[in-house]
Amino acid sequence: DKSFNYKKDNNWMFEDFKTDLDTLNPIVREKALSIAKELIEKKDISAKEALSEGIIRAEEWFYDLEG
């Protein structure tokens, strides 16, 4: 089972949003988490705001990849 392990991958701050993340394509999910972490480090925003923005950006990035 390759289900995403939020604690193992140090994404514990996003555990409250597990349902939102589980519906994403695994590639998009990883990118969204990466973007969200970067936003939290660079901006003073909540995990929820960062994750919402991260999901939007990751989905745009993924659709650009697919053409």
Side-chain angles (χ1 to χ4, degrees):
D1 178 47
K2 292 192 177 208
S3 62
F4 197 72
N5 184 333
Y6 295 91
K7 290 190 189 277
K8 178 182 87 53
D9 295 318
N10 198 26
N11 293 314
W12 54 268
M13 69 180 85
F14 301 113
E15 277 187 329
D16 291 344
F17 313 105
K18 186 177 183 301
T19 303
D20 297 336
L21 292 167
D22 283 346
T23 62
L24 297 174
N25 174 301
I27 295 167
V28 174
R29 179 174 51 236
E30 290 297 323
K31 185 73 170 177
L33 287 167
S34 174
I35 292 168
K37 286 180 187 178
E38 186 176 320
L39 288 170
I40 288 171
E41 289 173 8
K42 293 183 177 180
K43 296 182 178 183
D44 186 24
I45 62 175
S46 70
K48 182 177 182 171
E49 291 172 310
L51 188 58
S52 293
E53 180 67 23
I55 289 171
I56 291 167
R57 291 186 190 183
E59 287 176 334
E60 289 171 354
W61 166 82
F62 185 72
Y63 295 129
D64 284 348
L65 280 182
E66 288 191 324

